[in-house]
């Protein structure tokens, strides 16, 4: 129904926005002065915060202080993830850095889901994770 279509559209938009954001990291690593890496990340995260505030204003929602705190706490590992990605792009080709980054995300999210949320992975999902790991190994040979 309409809910499933909205979910699929959200997934596609997330894919496009995430890809565009990651592509900007590569553009910055090639053309931007490396000394401004922290400023680049600051403005990236500030822009994301501003977009969230704008979305809340459009929906006429007022964020709960706990939600703001949670967003800040979640932002800390995201900052370091983005910072380490920028650092890796200085010495590693993007064709290796981005898949490694993505595989790391898949593995960490899968294990967190299994450990903290007691999610069970079926054989097909475990096989898919094994294939993802194999592809990363082959990419780095």
């Amino acid at each position: 129904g309409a809910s499933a279509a909205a979910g699929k559209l959200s997934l596609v938009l997330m894919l496009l926005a995430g890809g565009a954001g990651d592509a900007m990291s590569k553009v910055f690593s090639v053309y931007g002065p490396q000394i401004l890496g922290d400023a680049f990340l600051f403005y990236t995260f500030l822009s994301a915060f501003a977009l969230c505030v704008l979305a809340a204003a459009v929906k006429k929602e007022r964020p709960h202080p706990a939600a703001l705190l949670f967003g800040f706490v979640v932002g800390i590992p995201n900052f370091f993830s983005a910072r380490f990605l920028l650092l890796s792009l200085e010495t590693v080709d993007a064709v290796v850095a981005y898949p490694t980054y993505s595989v790391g995300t898949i593995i960490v999210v899968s294990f967190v889901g299994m450990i903290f949320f007691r999610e069970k992975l079926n054989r097909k999902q475990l096989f898919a994770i094994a294939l993802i790991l194999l592809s990363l190994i082959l990419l780095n040979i």
Side-chain angles (χ1 to χ4, degrees), residues 21-85:
D22 285 345
M24 288 298 98
S25 294
K26 179 60 181 173
V27 169
F28 178 81
S29 74
V30 171
Y31 298 110
Q34 297 309 309
I35 192 131
L36 295 178
D38 288 333
F40 169 76
L41 290 175
F42 172 78
Y43 288 115
T44 299
F45 280 79
L46 183 64
S47 298
F49 177 74
L51 286 173
C52 288
V53 168
L54 179 64
V58 167
K59 291 182 177 182
K60 297 181 181 171
E61 294 177 354
R62 187 166 186 196
H64 191 274
L68 292 174
L69 177 63
F70 183 74
F72 178 77
V73 170
V74 168
I76 293 170
N78 281 331
F79 170 82
F80 284 107
S81 174
R83 186 69 182 123
F84 294 142
L85 179 62

Side-chain angles (χ1 to χ4, degrees), residues 56-111:
V58 167
K59 291 182 177 182
K60 297 181 181 171
E61 294 177 354
R62 187 166 186 196
H64 191 274
L68 292 174
L69 177 63
F70 183 74
F72 178 77
V73 170
V74 168
I76 293 170
N78 281 331
F79 170 82
F80 284 107
S81 174
R83 186 69 182 123
F84 294 142
L85 179 62
L86 272 179
L87 289 172
S88 73
L89 288 171
E90 292 177 20
T91 57
V92 177
D93 290 338
V95 71
V96 173
Y98 284 108
T100 303
Y101 174 77
S102 296
V103 167
T105 302
I106 291 167
I107 298 301
V108 169
V109 168
S110 297
F111 282 124

Side-chain angles (χ1 to χ4, degrees), residues 126-141:
L126 290 170
F127 182 69
I129 289 174
L131 282 178
I132 290 168
L133 288 171
L134 178 63
S135 68
L136 182 62
I137 292 167
L138 291 173
L139 185 65
N140 283 289
I141 291 180

